Amino acid sequence: MTAAPKPSNADLAELLARKAETSSGILVRAFRRAARSAFLWPELASDLVAAKRPLTELHGIGPFIARQLRAWIEKPPREEMRPPAIRREFLTRADARVILSSNPDWTKRLQGDLQMHTSWSDGSASILDMARAATERGYGYIAITDHSKGLKIAGGIDEKALAEQAREIRRANETMRRSGLTVLRSIEMNLNPRGEGDMDPKSLGRLDLVLGAFHSALRTKDDQTARYLAALRNPDIQILGHPRGRIYNYRIGLKADWPRVFAQAARLDKAVEIDSYPDRQDLNLALVKVARKAGVRISLGTDSHHAHQLEFIELGLAAALKARISPDRIVNFMDLASLRAWVKKLRQRRR
Ligand SMILES: [Zn+2]
């Protein structure tokens, strides 16, 4: 007789999220936060229990929640572990590590990270902080993608600030010259639901690459295929960031005829992103598989707002590997010269 499988960290996250829904007072927040932190635990909680290590070793877990987790691990309430759609298809870091360990060469191909925020918009670190953290990861490049001016709530920057940021990026590149890292000028340009950006195309043309992303009307239940097709046609962008706009336990994301959207992206040779921020994971795994069938380019970005968050890339790398994306379709697997050549080709095509 084989023992019943132990609950995974994702199972425990779901149990914690449910517990938050039936709790009151400060426990609501405590369980909610613990559910989110479960996605980031590097080890399986059940392995800790098996090794007789305290669960309070896990980030964000105090003695009270540790007792609850232990009870679930010892007697898993199976019927409560299936997540509703708003919490479904989120990989945990522990899952990602298992997936990535099956193919060590995959991670080695990664040249850089193509979405991150700094203190120029709503991030906490300077450009140089991000560059140093990227060097520790052995990257060849990173793209600085602060928010654009239309997203005021996230401290979006205008054309003037973007030009000032160019000077800081130039200085960072001088400082980092011997590291082999190149800091690329980019932006996460806010797109309206018609697929139009909020920045002067001339200013965008001076950047190394441009991400476009939707941040409004993200709760509509109607089919949004038209907005995606329009965004992909937008000549100023090369990458469509966090396409669905979903957020764990908060927003389910937009609906569209995805095969059609990805076919259009492939035809235009544009990339769709796997935003690897744990609460986003957008595209999610099922859609990455649909994207593979269309042969569309995939860009990996962490959407980091702190330097340590660059580690989130594991989630996107794992999703791409699990979906069997061909390495030649992954934008961040290109060296810098090839990345620049791709952007250049797209820009020439618009004329
Ligand atoms: Zn965004």
Side-chain angles (χ1 to χ4, degrees), residues 115 117 122 145 147 151 188-190 211-215 241-242 273 275 280 303 305:
Q115 195 196 156
H117 302 266
D122 60 347
T145 57
H147 291 287
L151 203 62
E188 182 185 356
M189 181 166 66
N190 193 36
L211 258 81
F214 295 117
H215 297 99
H242 54 69
E273 186 187 51
D275 183 310
R280 287 191 179 269
D303 206 346
H305 287 68

Side-chain angles (χ1 to χ4, degrees), residues 46-253:
S46 60
D47 285 352
L48 262 69
V49 169
K52 303 208 178 334
R53 284 163 57 196
L55 289 170
T56 47
E57 278 184 35
L58 298 169
H59 180 77
I61 297 306
F64 177 76
I65 291 181
R67 265 197 304 281
Q68 176 65 76
L69 287 171
R70 183 177 291 272
W72 283 327
I73 290 167
E74 280 160 9
K75 199 164 178 294
R78 297 263 157 228
E79 63 292 348
E80 289 167 39
M81 283 164 19
R82 178 163 165 76
I86 203 160
R87 294 195 292 262
R88 206 173 295 156
E89 264 207 59
F90 288 86
L91 293 174
T92 66
R93 196 166 157 213
D95 296 331
R97 292 194 163 187
V98 170
I99 295 166
L100 292 173
S101 68
S102 73
N103 185 343
D105 285 343
W106 187 256
T107 304
K108 282 187 211 143
R109 288 174 185 257
L110 183 71
Q111 305 280 319
D113 186 331
L114 294 177
Q115 195 196 156
M116 66 191 65
H117 302 266
T118 71
S119 48
W120 281 82
S121 64
D122 60 347
S124 69
S126 68
I127 290 167
L128 197 55
D129 290 337
M130 296 310 270
R132 289 200 167 114
T135 304
E136 279 167 29
R137 303 186 66 82
Y139 287 166
Y141 52 78
I142 52 171
I144 301 295
T145 57
D146 280 301
H147 291 287
S148 63
K149 63 186 179 187
L151 203 62
K152 297 218 164 40
I153 192 169
I157 56 177
D158 62 10
E159 289 81 355
K160 186 163 168 278
L162 193 61
E164 284 163 22
Q165 189 189 54
R167 286 196 286 278
E168 189 172 323
I169 289 179
R170 199 177 315 126
R171 280 197 299 275
N173 276 325
E174 280 160 17
T175 307
M176 302 302 292
R177 197 167 39 217
R178 298 165 73 115
S179 72
L181 181 90
T182 301
V183 181
L184 297 172
R185 292 189 63 202
S186 186
I187 194 164
E188 182 185 356
M189 181 166 66
N190 193 36
L191 299 173
N192 68 23
R194 290 181 304 285
E196 299 158 346
D198 61 348
M199 299 288 283
D200 178 4
K202 247 191 262 158
S203 161
L204 297 173
R206 292 185 199 109
L207 303 180
D208 294 300
L209 84 165
V210 178
L211 258 81
F214 295 117
H215 297 99
S216 57
L218 296 175
R219 287 183 181 273
T220 175
K221 291 193 167 63
D222 302 331
D223 180 281
Q224 298 294 300
T225 305
R227 105 152 69 171
Y228 288 106
L229 298 182
L232 290 165
R233 277 195 304 268
N234 183 326
D236 297 322
I237 73 163
Q238 293 88 39
I239 299 169
L240 186 63
H242 54 69
R244 297 181 57 194
R246 74 168 188 162
I247 292 183
Y248 176 79
N249 213 8
Y250 175 71
R251 191 171 61 215
I252 193 133

Side-chain angles (χ1 to χ4, degrees), residues 194-195 214 224-235 237-238 240 256-272 290-291 293-297 329 342 346 349:
R194 290 181 304 285
F214 295 117
Q224 298 294 300
T225 305
R227 105 152 69 171
Y228 288 106
L229 298 182
L232 290 165
R233 277 195 304 268
N234 183 326
I237 73 163
Q238 293 88 39
L240 186 63
D257 179 348
W258 293 108
R260 204 171 147 210
V261 170
F262 296 144
Q264 159 116 329
R267 199 159 48 238
L268 296 171
D269 198 25
K270 298 207 174 173
V272 291
V290 178
K293 290 194 187 117
V296 59
R297 287 188 195 264
R329 293 286 81 196
W342 169 60
L346 288 180
R349 192 180 286 176

